[in-house]
Amino acid sequence: MLTTAFVPGSPCWLDLGAPDVPAAAAFYRAVLGWEYEPMGDGQDAEGGMFRSGGKVVAGLGRLTEPGARSAWMIYYSVTDADATTRAVQNAGGKVRVAPKSFGEQGRMAQYSDPLGGEFAVWQPGDIKGAELVDEPVSLSWTELYTSDAAAAKEFYGGVLGWWFDDMQLPGDAGTYSLITPAGLPAERMHGGLMQVAEADLALAHGRPYWHPVFAVADCDATVAKVGANGGSVQMGPVDMEGVGRLAVCLDPSNADFVVLTPPAG
């Protein structure tokens, strides 16, 4: 369960790098009902904030890195971005963006894990993270697809202090590792990682990748909006026992995300 009582190692923020900011804003407004608040001069702004019911749920920025794919970047809360950076380097990861301060708001850094999976951290100051999580049309889970689950668990466990609980997926579909921040009970688990074949990582050119899961009231209705607004569906909608009804989706620029309707009750 995600909460806005962010602790070290818990997901606290996410933003989307998109080649066309107005188009991305229009897509997520139509699909998830988010309001978009540009940071700058209207539709020419380089980015802004998504809100739901007035609360900030995510960010949006123009994709500027040469050769980068449009994707959601997930940020995890840390107490010291510099110490985390050293831990990433010592564990074989790479620093994509060195720790950077945003005044009194906080500090951020972005990395790649040893196999190339991209993630980020946020050292909170006045801003702790998103204002809404684990509610309809907000972040409810994070997920990593990787070609080496054991290596991923060793890396992220060492860098972010996570502990893992493995479960077998139905139909011999493999092992899914549930992720919980250090020192917290299983009720505070916030994500999972799953080993897949390298061929299944084509979206990120063979590298691991993280994606967000957004809670929605009606998975099928949301999927219909995805298709009607230029997106596509990689998988689903499908019912997963004990999880709910979900679909893996792509926005018009091929940024991936999951929509999930939890089980009733």
Side-chain angles (χ1 to χ4, degrees), residues 55-169:
K55 294 184 177 181
V56 175
V57 292
L60 171 62
R62 193 176 305 280
L63 186 66
T64 58
E65 185 178 345
R69 76 178 186 98
S70 183
W72 284 97
M73 179 69 70
I74 299 172
Y75 293 70
Y76 296 95
S77 186
V78 296
T79 56
D80 186 332
D82 295 281
T84 303
T85 297
R86 292 191 292 271
V88 166
Q89 293 171 316
N90 291 338
K94 294 182 179 179
V95 180
R96 300 180 59 251
V97 178
K100 175 180 178 181
S101 292
F102 291 84
E104 298 299 315
Q105 296 179 349
R107 304 190 76 211
M108 63 80 72
Q110 295 185 358
Y111 314 110
S112 295
D113 69 26
L115 293 178
E118 297 179 359
F119 68 106
V121 298
W122 177 253
Q123 177 185 326
D126 291 343
I127 294 180
K128 309 304 179 187
E131 296 174 351
L132 185 71
V133 297
D134 208 32
E135 297 288 345
V137 298
S138 69
L139 182 67
S140 65
W141 192 254
T142 65
E143 194 167 61
L144 174 68
Y145 290 166
T146 180
S147 56
D148 191 335
K153 288 161 72 174
E154 181 178 0
F155 173 80
Y156 289 103
V159 169
L160 293 174
W162 294 340
W163 67 272
F164 303 91
D165 185 19
D166 292 347
M167 60 176 285
Q168 295 302 308
L169 294 173

Side-chain angles (χ1 to χ4, degrees), residues 14 74 138-143 176 211-215 246 257-260:
L14 74 163
I74 299 172
S138 69
L139 182 67
S140 65
W141 192 254
T142 65
E143 194 167 61
Y176 192 86
H211 57 223
V213 178
F214 299 120
L246 63 84
F257 61 100
V258 175
V259 294
L260 167 69

Side-chain angles (χ1 to χ4, degrees), residues 10 16 22 41 58 76 78 83 85 136 166 190 205:
S10 68
L16 173 66
D41 298 326
Y76 296 95
V78 296
T85 297
D166 292 347
H190 63 252
H205 309 293

